Amino acid sequence: MNICLKRLLIVAAMALPFAAGPVAAEEEEPEVEKILGKPKLEMAPFNFSVIKRGVVEGQASLHFVLVMDNTTDFEFVRSRLPQLRSDFNTALTILSRQHFNVNRPIDPDMVKAYLTPYLDHRLGQGKAQVFVKQALIHPN
């Protein structure tokens, strides 16, 4: 299994809410198999300041992976990467002002849910999925 995919799956597993109860390893395998072997595109990290009421409270760094269903979609997504970076940068700035707190970790599920409409708008419904590979926030 690809090391990047393992890391992605570990981060995704840690982000699952514990309220759903324990999940057996057999139940996770179909989810892994759905992503395994699909084309992936890693985006350069997004580094930005977390600003509240005009004061810089900290720094955030988010790293994303885009997963496509086939190689045709991969080439299409790769050609739209500059526009996606711009869309994501705008979305993350808005999201950070509303939901990020330097005293709490960033919720990768919330970030994924927030960015998915931007992704679907730019590429078309279901062309790619966005996964949070790494989400760090540091107070000043």
Side-chain angles (χ1 to χ4, degrees):
M1 186 184 292
N2 188 345
I3 291 175
C4 293
L5 183 59
K6 283 183 182 178
R7 289 181 185 163
L8 175 66
L9 293 174
I10 289 170
V11 170
M14 291 186 331
L16 292 174
F18 293 103
V23 178
E26 296 84 28
E27 293 176 12
E28 291 182 21
E29 288 302 317
E31 183 71 26
V32 172
E33 291 173 3
K34 290 178 186 175
I35 297 173
L36 198 63
K38 291 186 178 183
K40 298 177 286 299
L41 183 63
E42 290 194 29
M43 298 181 79
F46 289 85
N47 301 308
F48 55 93
S49 297
V50 177
I51 301 172
K52 302 281 180 161
R53 298 184 189 126
V55 177
V56 177
E57 289 188 348
Q59 302 294 319
S61 177
L62 285 97
H63 195 165
F64 300 108
V65 175
L66 303 175
V67 178
M68 286 65 64
D69 285 332
N70 55 49
T71 55
T72 306
D73 290 342
F74 177 82
E75 291 300 322
F76 176 74
V77 171
R78 193 171 62 81
S79 70
R80 300 295 192 275
L81 200 55
Q83 293 92 348
L84 275 175
R85 280 199 66 82
S86 177
D87 292 346
F88 282 11
N89 196 27
T90 301
L92 289 170
T93 301
I94 294 167
L95 185 65
S96 72
R97 290 178 189 221
Q98 296 172 355
H99 295 286
F100 288 3
N101 183 341
V102 295
N103 298 318
R104 290 183 291 139
I106 296 172
D107 180 9
D109 291 330
M110 177 187 59
V111 174
K112 178 182 177 178
Y114 195 82
L115 293 180
T116 299
Y118 288 87
L119 187 70
D120 290 343
H121 172 75
R122 180 62 64 186
L123 303 176
Q125 189 74 24
K127 291 280 187 182
Q129 296 178 10
V130 62
F131 292 94
V132 178
K133 182 177 181 179
Q134 183 180 34
L136 301 172
I137 190 163
H138 301 285
N140 276 347

